[in-house]
Coordinates of all heavy atoms in Angstrom, one line a residue:
M1 N 106.6 59.3 85.8 CA 107.1 59.1 87.2 C 105.9 59.2 88.1 O 105.1 60.1 88.0 CB 108.1 60.2 87.5 CG 108.4 60.2 89.0 SD 109.5 61.6 89.4 CE 111.0 60.8 89.4
K2 N 105.7 58.2 89.0 CA 104.6 58.2 89.9 C 104.9 59.1 91.1 O 106.0 59.2 91.6 CB 104.3 56.8 90.5 CG 103.7 55.9 89.4 CD 103.3 54.6 90.1 CE 102.6 53.7 89.1 NZ 102.2 52.5 89.7
D3 N 103.9 59.8 91.6 CA 104.1 60.7 92.7 C 103.9 59.9 94.0 O 102.9 59.2 94.2 CB 103.0 61.8 92.6 CG 103.2 62.9 93.7 OD1 104.3 63.0 94.3 OD2 102.2 63.5 94.1
N4 N 104.8 60.0 94.9 CA 104.7 59.4 96.2 C 103.8 60.2 97.1 O 104.0 61.4 97.3 CB 106.1 59.3 96.8 CG 106.1 58.7 98.2 OD1 105.1 58.5 98.8 ND2 107.3 58.5 98.7
L5 N 102.8 59.6 97.6 CA 101.8 60.4 98.4 C 102.4 60.9 99.7 O 101.8 61.7 100.3 CB 100.5 59.5 98.7 CG 99.7 59.2 97.4 CD1 98.5 58.3 97.9 CD2 99.2 60.5 96.8
E6 N 103.6 60.5 100.1 CA 104.2 61.0 101.3 C 105.3 62.0 100.9 O 105.9 62.6 101.8 CB 104.9 59.9 102.1 CG 103.8 58.9 102.7 CD 102.9 59.7 103.7 OE1 103.4 60.4 104.5 OE2 101.7 59.5 103.5
S7 N 105.5 62.3 99.6 CA 106.5 63.3 99.2 C 105.9 64.6 99.5 O 104.7 64.8 99.4 CB 106.9 63.0 97.8 OG 105.8 63.2 96.9
A8 N 106.8 65.6 99.7 CA 106.3 66.9 100.1 C 106.0 67.8 98.8 O 106.6 67.6 97.7 CB 107.4 67.6 100.9
I9 N 105.1 68.7 99.0 CA 104.7 69.7 98.0 C 105.3 71.0 98.5 O 104.9 71.5 99.6 CB 103.2 69.8 97.8 CG1 102.7 68.4 97.3 CG2 102.9 70.9 96.8 CD1 101.2 68.3 97.2
I10 N 106.2 71.7 97.8 CA 106.7 73.0 98.1 C 105.8 74.1 97.5 O 105.5 74.0 96.3 CB 108.1 73.1 97.6 CG1 109.1 72.1 98.3 CG2 108.7 74.5 97.9 CD1 110.5 72.0 97.7
I11 N 105.4 75.0 98.4 CA 104.5 76.1 97.9 C 105.2 77.4 98.2 O 105.4 77.8 99.3 CB 103.2 76.0 98.7 CG1 102.5 74.7 98.5 CG2 102.2 77.2 98.2 CD1 101.4 74.5 99.5
T12 N 105.7 78.0 97.1 CA 106.3 79.3 97.2 C 105.2 80.4 97.2 O 104.1 80.2 96.7 CB 107.3 79.6 96.1 OG1 106.6 79.5 94.8 CG2 108.4 78.5 96.1
G13 N 105.5 81.5 97.9 CA 104.6 82.6 98.0 C 103.4 82.2 98.9 O 102.3 82.7 98.8
A14 N 103.7 81.3 99.9 CA 102.6 80.8 100.7 C 102.1 81.8 101.8 O 101.1 81.4 102.5 CB 103.1 79.5 101.4
S15 N 102.7 82.9 101.9 CA 102.3 83.9 102.9 C 101.1 84.7 102.5 O 100.4 85.3 103.3 CB 103.4 84.8 103.3 OG 103.9 85.5 102.1
S16 N 100.7 84.6 101.2 CA 99.5 85.4 100.8 C 99.0 85.0 99.4 O 99.7 84.2 98.7 CB 99.8 86.9 100.8 OG 100.8 87.2 99.8
G17 N 97.9 85.5 99.0 CA 97.4 85.3 97.7 C 97.2 83.9 97.2 O 96.7 83.0 97.9
L18 N 97.6 83.6 96.0 CA 97.4 82.4 95.4 C 98.2 81.3 96.1 O 97.7 80.2 96.3 CB 97.9 82.4 93.9 CG 97.7 81.1 93.1 CD1 96.2 80.8 93.0 CD2 98.2 81.4 91.7
G19 N 99.4 81.6 96.6 CA 100.2 80.6 97.3 C 99.5 80.2 98.6 O 99.4 79.0 98.9
R20 N 98.9 81.1 99.3 CA 98.2 80.8 100.5 C 97.0 80.0 100.2 O 96.6 79.0 100.9 CB 97.8 82.1 101.3 CG 97.0 81.8 102.5 CD 96.6 83.0 103.3 NE 97.7 83.3 104.2 CZ 97.7 84.3 105.1 NH1 96.7 85.1 105.2 NH2 98.8 84.5 105.9
G21 N 96.2 80.4 99.1 CA 95.1 79.6 98.7 C 95.4 78.2 98.4 O 94.7 77.2 98.7
I22 N 96.5 78.0 97.7 CA 96.9 76.6 97.3 C 97.3 75.8 98.6 O 96.9 74.7 98.7 CB 98.1 76.7 96.3 CG1 97.7 77.2 95.0 CG2 98.8 75.3 96.2 CD1 98.8 77.5 94.0
A23 N 98.0 76.5 99.5 CA 98.3 75.8 100.7 C 97.1 75.4 101.5 O 97.0 74.2 102.0 CB 99.2 76.7 101.6
Q24 N 96.1 76.2 101.6 CA 94.9 75.9 102.3 C 94.2 74.8 101.6 O 93.6 73.9 102.3 CB 94.0 77.2 102.5 CG 94.6 78.2 103.4 CD 93.9 79.5 103.5 OE1 93.1 79.8 102.7 NE2 94.3 80.3 104.5
F25 N 94.1 74.8 100.3 CA 93.4 73.7 99.6 C 94.2 72.4 99.8 O 93.6 71.4 100.2 CB 93.4 74.0 98.1 CG 93.0 72.8 97.3 CD1 91.6 72.5 97.2 CD2 93.8 72.1 96.5 CE1 91.2 71.4 96.5 CE2 93.4 71.0 95.8 CZ 92.1 70.6 95.8
L26 N 95.5 72.4 99.7 CA 96.3 71.1 99.8 C 96.2 70.6 101.3 O 96.4 69.4 101.5 CB 97.7 71.3 99.3 CG 97.9 71.5 97.8 CD1 99.3 71.8 97.5 CD2 97.4 70.2 97.1
S27 N 96.1 71.5 102.2 CA 96.0 71.1 103.6 C 94.9 70.1 103.9 O 94.9 69.4 104.8 CB 96.0 72.3 104.6 OG 94.8 73.0 104.5
T28 N 93.8 70.2 103.1 CA 92.7 69.3 103.2 C 93.0 67.9 102.7 O 92.1 67.0 102.9 CB 91.4 69.9 102.6 OG1 91.6 70.0 101.2 CG2 91.1 71.3 103.1
K29 N 94.0 67.8 101.9 CA 94.4 66.5 101.3 C 95.3 65.6 102.1 O 95.6 64.5 101.8 CB 95.0 66.7 99.9 CG 94.2 67.6 99.0 CD 92.8 67.1 98.8 CE 92.0 68.0 97.9 NZ 90.6 67.6 97.8
G30 N 95.9 66.2 103.2 CA 96.7 65.4 104.1 C 98.1 65.1 103.6 O 98.8 64.3 104.2
R31 N 98.5 65.9 102.6 CA 99.9 65.7 102.1 C 100.9 66.6 102.8 O 100.5 67.7 103.2 CB 99.9 66.1 100.6 CG 99.1 65.2 99.7 CD 99.8 63.9 99.3 NE 101.1 64.2 98.7 CZ 101.3 64.3 97.4 NH1 100.4 64.2 96.6 NH2 102.6 64.5 97.0
P32 N 102.2 66.2 102.9 CA 103.1 67.1 103.5 C 103.3 68.3 102.6 O 103.5 68.2 101.4 CB 104.4 66.3 103.6 CG 104.0 64.9 103.4 CD 102.7 64.9 102.7
I33 N 103.3 69.5 103.3 CA 103.5 70.7 102.5 C 104.6 71.6 103.2 O 104.8 71.5 104.4 CB 102.2 71.6 102.3 CG1 101.6 71.9 103.7 CG2 101.2 70.8 101.5 CD1 100.4 72.9 103.6
V34 N 105.3 72.3 102.3 CA 106.4 73.2 102.8 C 106.0 74.6 102.4 O 105.9 74.8 101.1 CB 107.8 72.8 102.2 CG1 108.8 73.8 102.7 CG2 108.1 71.4 102.7
L35 N 105.7 75.4 103.3 CA 105.3 76.8 103.1 C 106.6 77.7 103.0 O 107.3 77.8 103.9 CB 104.4 77.3 104.2 CG 103.2 76.4 104.5 CD1 102.4 76.9 105.7 CD2 102.3 76.2 103.3
V36 N 106.7 78.3 101.8 CA 107.9 79.2 101.6 C 107.5 80.6 101.3 O 106.5 80.8 100.5 CB 108.7 78.6 100.4 CG1 110.0 79.5 100.2 CG2 109.2 77.2 100.7
G37 N 108.1 81.5 101.9 CA 107.9 83.0 101.7 C 108.8 83.8 102.5 O 109.7 83.3 103.3
R38 N 108.7 85.1 102.3 CA 109.7 86.0 103.0 C 109.1 86.4 104.4 O 109.9 86.7 105.3 CB 110.0 87.2 102.2 CG 110.8 86.9 101.0 CD 111.0 88.1 100.2 NE 109.7 88.6 99.7 CZ 109.5 89.3 98.6 NH1 110.5 89.7 97.9 NH2 108.3 89.7 98.3
N39 N 107.8 86.4 104.6 CA 107.3 87.0 105.8 C 106.9 85.9 106.8 O 105.9 85.2 106.6 CB 106.0 87.9 105.4 CG 105.5 88.6 106.6 OD1 105.3 88.1 107.7 ND2 105.2 89.9 106.4
I40 N 107.7 85.7 107.8 CA 107.5 84.6 108.8 C 106.1 84.7 109.5 O 105.5 83.7 109.7 CB 108.6 84.5 109.8 CG1 108.5 83.2 110.7 CG2 108.7 85.7 110.6 CD1 108.6 81.9 109.9
D41 N 105.7 85.9 109.9 CA 104.4 86.1 110.5 C 103.3 85.6 109.7 O 102.4 84.9 110.1 CB 104.2 87.5 111.0 CG 105.2 87.9 112.1 OD1 105.7 87.1 112.9 OD2 105.6 89.1 112.1
R42 N 103.3 86.0 108.4 CA 102.2 85.6 107.5 C 102.3 84.1 107.2 O 101.2 83.5 107.0 CB 102.2 86.5 106.3 CG 101.7 87.9 106.7 CD 101.9 89.0 105.7 NE 101.3 88.7 104.5 CZ 101.4 89.5 103.4 NH1 102.2 90.6 103.5 NH2 100.8 89.2 102.2
L43 N 103.5 83.6 107.1 CA 103.6 82.1 106.9 C 103.0 81.4 108.0 O 102.4 80.3 107.8 CB 105.1 81.8 106.7 CG 105.7 82.1 105.3 CD1 107.3 81.9 105.4 CD2 105.1 81.4 104.2
M44 N 103.3 81.9 109.2 CA 102.7 81.2 110.4 C 101.2 81.3 110.4 O 100.5 80.3 110.9 CB 103.3 81.8 111.7 CG 104.8 81.5 111.8 SD 105.3 79.7 111.7 CE 104.6 79.1 113.1
E45 N 100.6 82.4 110.0 CA 99.2 82.5 109.8 C 98.7 81.4 108.8 O 97.7 80.8 109.1 CB 98.8 83.8 109.3 CG 98.9 84.9 110.3 CD 98.7 86.3 109.7 OE1 98.2 86.4 108.6 OE2 98.9 87.3 110.4
T46 N 99.4 81.3 107.7 CA 99.0 80.3 106.7 C 99.1 78.9 107.4 O 98.2 78.0 107.2 CB 99.9 80.3 105.5 OG1 99.8 81.6 104.9 CG2 99.5 79.3 104.4
K47 N 100.1 78.6 108.1 CA 100.3 77.3 108.8 C 99.1 77.1 109.7 O 98.6 76.0 109.7 CB 101.6 77.3 109.6 CG 101.8 75.9 110.3 CD 103.1 75.8 110.9 CE 103.3 74.5 111.6 NZ 104.6 74.3 112.2
E48 N 98.8 78.1 110.5 CA 97.6 77.9 111.4 C 96.4 77.6 110.7 O 95.6 76.7 111.1 CB 97.5 79.2 112.3 CG 98.5 79.3 113.4 CD 98.6 78.1 114.3 OE1 97.6 77.6 114.8 OE2 99.7 77.7 114.6
N49 N 96.1 78.3 109.6 CA 95.0 77.9 108.7 C 95.0 76.5 108.2 O 93.9 75.8 108.2 CB 94.9 78.9 107.5 CG 94.6 80.3 107.9 OD1 94.1 80.6 109.0 ND2 94.9 81.2 107.0
C50 N 96.2 76.0 107.8 CA 96.3 74.7 107.4 C 96.0 73.7 108.5 O 95.4 72.6 108.3 CB 97.7 74.4 106.8 SG 98.0 75.3 105.2
L51 N 96.5 73.9 109.7 CA 96.3 73.0 110.8 C 94.8 73.0 111.2 O 94.2 72.0 111.5 CB 97.1 73.5 112.0 CG 98.7 73.4 111.8 CD1 99.4 73.8 113.0 CD2 99.1 72.0 111.3
T52 N 94.1 74.2 111.1 CA 92.7 74.3 111.3 C 91.9 73.4 110.3 O 90.9 72.8 110.6 CB 92.2 75.7 111.3 OG1 92.9 76.5 112.3 CG2 90.7 75.8 111.5
N53 N 92.5 73.3 109.1 CA 91.8 72.5 108.1 C 92.0 71.0 108.3 O 91.5 70.2 107.5 CB 92.4 72.8 106.7 CG 91.8 74.2 106.2 OD1 90.8 74.7 106.7 ND2 92.5 74.7 105.2
G54 N 92.8 70.6 109.3 CA 93.0 69.2 109.7 C 94.4 68.7 109.3 O 94.6 67.5 109.6
L55 N 95.2 69.5 108.7 CA 96.6 69.0 108.4 C 97.4 68.7 109.7 O 97.4 69.5 110.6 CB 97.3 70.0 107.5 CG 98.7 69.5 107.0 CD1 98.5 68.3 106.0 CD2 99.4 70.7 106.3
K56 N 98.0 67.6 109.8 CA 98.9 67.3 110.9 C 100.1 68.2 111.0 O 100.6 68.6 109.9 CB 99.4 65.8 110.8 CG 98.4 64.8 110.9 CD 99.0 63.4 110.7 CE 97.9 62.4 110.7 NZ 98.5 61.0 110.5
A57 N 100.4 68.6 112.2 CA 101.5 69.6 112.3 C 102.8 69.1 111.7 O 103.5 69.9 111.1 CB 101.7 69.9 113.8
E58 N 103.1 67.8 111.8 CA 104.3 67.3 111.3 C 104.3 67.3 109.7 O 105.4 67.1 109.1 CB 104.6 65.9 111.8 CG 103.6 64.9 111.5 CD 102.5 64.6 112.5 OE1 102.3 65.5 113.4 OE2 101.9 63.6 112.5
Y59 N 103.2 67.6 109.1 CA 103.1 67.6 107.7 C 103.1 69.1 107.2 O 102.8 69.3 106.0 CB 101.8 66.9 107.2 CG 102.0 65.4 107.0 CD1 103.1 64.8 107.5 CD2 101.0 64.7 106.3 CE1 103.2 63.4 107.3 CE2 101.1 63.4 106.2 CZ 102.2 62.7 106.7 OH 102.4 61.4 106.5
C60 N 103.4 70.0 108.0 CA 103.5 71.4 107.6 C 104.7 72.1 108.1 O 104.9 72.3 109.3 CB 102.2 72.2 108.1 SG 102.0 73.8 107.4
H61 N 105.6 72.4 107.2 CA 106.9 73.0 107.5 C 107.0 74.3 106.9 O 106.6 74.6 105.8 CB 108.1 72.0 106.9 CG 109.4 72.5 107.3 ND1 109.8 72.5 108.6 CD2 110.5 72.8 106.6 CE1 111.1 72.9 108.7 NE2 111.5 73.1 107.4
V62 N 107.5 75.3 107.7 CA 107.6 76.7 107.2 C 109.1 77.0 107.0 O 110.0 76.7 107.9 CB 107.0 77.6 108.3 CG1 107.3 79.1 108.0 CG2 105.5 77.4 108.4
I63 N 109.4 77.7 105.9 CA 110.7 78.1 105.6 C 110.6 79.6 105.2 O 110.1 79.9 104.1 CB 111.5 77.3 104.6 CG1 111.5 75.8 105.0 CG2 112.9 77.9 104.3 CD1 112.1 74.9 103.9
A64 N 111.2 80.5 106.0 CA 111.1 81.9 105.6 C 112.4 82.3 104.9 O 113.4 82.4 105.6 CB 110.9 82.8 106.8
V65 N 112.4 82.5 103.6 CA 113.5 82.9 102.8 C 113.1 83.7 101.6 O 111.9 83.7 101.2 CB 114.3 81.6 102.3 CG1 114.9 80.9 103.4 CG2 113.4 80.7 101.4
D66 N 114.0 84.4 101.0 CA 113.8 85.0 99.7 C 114.2 84.1 98.6 O 115.3 83.9 98.3 CB 114.6 86.3 99.6 CG 114.4 87.1 98.3 OD1 113.7 86.6 97.4 OD2 114.9 88.2 98.2
I67 N 113.2 83.4 98.0 CA 113.4 82.3 97.1 C 114.1 82.8 95.8 O 114.6 81.9 95.1 CB 112.1 81.6 96.8 CG1 112.4 80.2 96.3 CG2 111.2 82.4 95.9 CD1 113.0 79.2 97.2
T68 N 114.2 84.1 95.6 CA 114.9 84.6 94.4 C 116.4 84.4 94.5 O 117.1 84.5 93.5 CB 114.6 86.0 94.1 OG1 115.1 86.9 95.1 CG2 113.1 86.2 93.9
K69 N 116.9 84.1 95.7 CA 118.3 83.9 95.9 C 118.7 82.4 95.8 O 118.0 81.6 96.4 CB 118.7 84.4 97.4 CG 118.3 85.8 97.7 CD 119.0 86.8 96.9 CE 118.6 88.2 97.4 NZ 118.7 89.2 96.4
L70 N 119.7 82.1 95.0 CA 120.0 80.7 94.7 C 120.3 80.0 96.0 O 119.8 78.8 96.2 CB 121.3 80.7 93.9 CG 121.8 79.3 93.6 CD1 120.7 78.5 92.8 CD2 123.1 79.3 92.8
E71 N 121.0 80.5 97.0 CA 121.3 79.8 98.2 C 120.0 79.5 99.0 O 119.9 78.5 99.7 CB 122.3 80.5 99.1 CG 121.9 81.9 99.5 CD 122.2 83.0 98.5 OE1 122.8 82.7 97.4 OE2 122.0 84.2 98.7
A72 N 119.0 80.4 98.9 CA 117.7 80.1 99.5 C 116.9 79.0 98.9 O 116.4 78.1 99.6 CB 116.8 81.4 99.5
A73 N 117.0 78.9 97.6 CA 116.4 77.8 96.8 C 117.0 76.5 97.3 O 116.3 75.4 97.5 CB 116.4 78.0 95.3
E74 N 118.3 76.5 97.4 CA 119.1 75.3 97.8 C 118.6 74.9 99.2 O 118.5 73.7 99.5 CB 120.5 75.5 97.7 CG 121.1 75.6 96.3 CD 122.5 76.1 96.2 OE1 123.1 76.6 97.2 OE2 123.0 76.0 95.0
T75 N 118.5 75.9 100.1 CA 118.1 75.6 101.5 C 116.7 74.9 101.5 O 116.5 74.0 102.3 CB 118.0 76.9 102.3 OG1 119.4 77.4 102.3 CG2 117.5 76.7 103.7
V76 N 115.8 75.4 100.7 CA 114.4 74.9 100.7 C 114.4 73.4 100.2 O 113.8 72.6 100.9 CB 113.5 75.7 99.7 CG1 112.2 75.0 99.5 CG2 113.3 77.1 100.3
V77 N 115.2 73.2 99.2 CA 115.3 71.8 98.7 C 116.0 70.9 99.7 O 115.4 69.8 100.0 CB 116.1 71.7 97.3 CG1 116.3 70.3 97.0 CG2 115.2 72.4 96.2
T78 N 117.0 71.3 100.3 CA 117.8 70.5 101.3 C 116.9 70.2 102.5 O 116.8 69.0 103.0 CB 119.1 71.2 101.7 OG1 119.9 71.4 100.6 CG2 119.8 70.4 102.8
Q79 N 116.3 71.2 103.0 CA 115.4 71.0 104.3 C 114.2 70.1 103.9 O 113.8 69.3 104.8 CB 114.9 72.4 104.8 CG 116.0 73.2 105.5 CD 115.4 74.4 106.2 OE1 114.2 74.5 106.5 NE2 116.2 75.4 106.4
T80 N 113.6 70.3 102.8 CA 112.5 69.5 102.4 C 112.9 68.0 102.3 O 112.2 67.2 102.8 CB 111.9 70.0 101.1 OG1 111.5 71.4 101.3 CG2 110.7 69.2 100.7
V81 N 113.9 67.7 101.6 CA 114.4 66.3 101.4 C 114.8 65.8 102.8 O 114.5 64.6 103.1 CB 115.5 66.2 100.4 CG1 116.1 64.9 100.3 CG2 114.9 66.6 99.0
K82 N 115.4 66.5 103.6 CA 115.8 66.0 104.9 C 114.6 65.7 105.7 O 114.6 64.6 106.4 CB 116.7 67.1 105.6 CG 117.2 66.6 107.0 CD 118.2 67.7 107.6 CE 118.7 67.2 108.9 NZ 119.6 68.2 109.5
K83 N 113.6 66.5 105.7 CA 112.4 66.3 106.6 C 111.5 65.3 106.0 O 111.0 64.4 106.8 CB 111.7 67.6 106.8 CG 110.5 67.5 107.7 CD 110.1 68.9 108.2 CE 108.9 68.8 109.2 NZ 109.3 68.3 110.4
Y84 N 111.3 65.2 104.7 CA 110.2 64.4 104.1 C 110.8 63.3 103.2 O 110.0 62.4 102.7 CB 109.2 65.2 103.4 CG 108.5 66.2 104.3 CD1 108.6 67.5 104.3 CD2 107.6 65.7 105.3 CE1 108.0 68.4 105.1 CE2 107.0 66.5 106.2 CZ 107.2 67.9 106.1 OH 106.5 68.7 107.0
G85 N 112.0 63.3 102.8 CA 112.6 62.3 102.0 C 112.6 62.6 100.5 O 113.5 62.2 99.8
S86 N 111.5 63.3 100.0 CA 111.5 63.6 98.6 C 110.5 64.7 98.4 O 109.7 65.1 99.2 CB 111.0 62.4 97.8 OG 109.7 62.0 98.2
I87 N 110.6 65.3 97.1 CA 109.7 66.4 96.7 C 108.8 65.8 95.7 O 109.2 65.3 94.6 CB 110.6 67.6 96.2 CG1 111.5 68.1 97.3 CG2 109.6 68.7 95.7 CD1 112.5 69.1 96.8
G88 N 107.5 66.0 95.8 CA 106.5 65.5 94.9 C 106.1 66.6 93.9 O 105.8 66.3 92.8
A89 N 106.1 67.8 94.3 CA 105.7 68.9 93.4 C 106.2 70.2 94.0 O 106.5 70.4 95.2 CB 104.2 68.9 93.3
L90 N 106.4 71.2 93.1 CA 106.8 72.5 93.4 C 105.8 73.5 92.8 O 105.4 73.4 91.7 CB 108.2 72.8 92.9 CG 108.7 74.3 93.0 CD1 108.8 74.7 94.4 CD2 110.0 74.4 92.3

């Protein structure tokens, strides 16, 4: 399956550590990313870092949820597909 360059990449744990690092790296590639984590303040910090790296604001979506809950996972998928049309990677 070919990856659509406009499809979104969902990054869980994006508020810190490896997830934040991955988000910051991918933000330099210009791909739509969805930042997922429980701490909205830290997610917003990650988003600001991504925007500073040159990512367009419309390509960076934040979802603050506890991804261990099934309904939260469903929310992430639904919001991502609604906003970007498809998911390229998780």
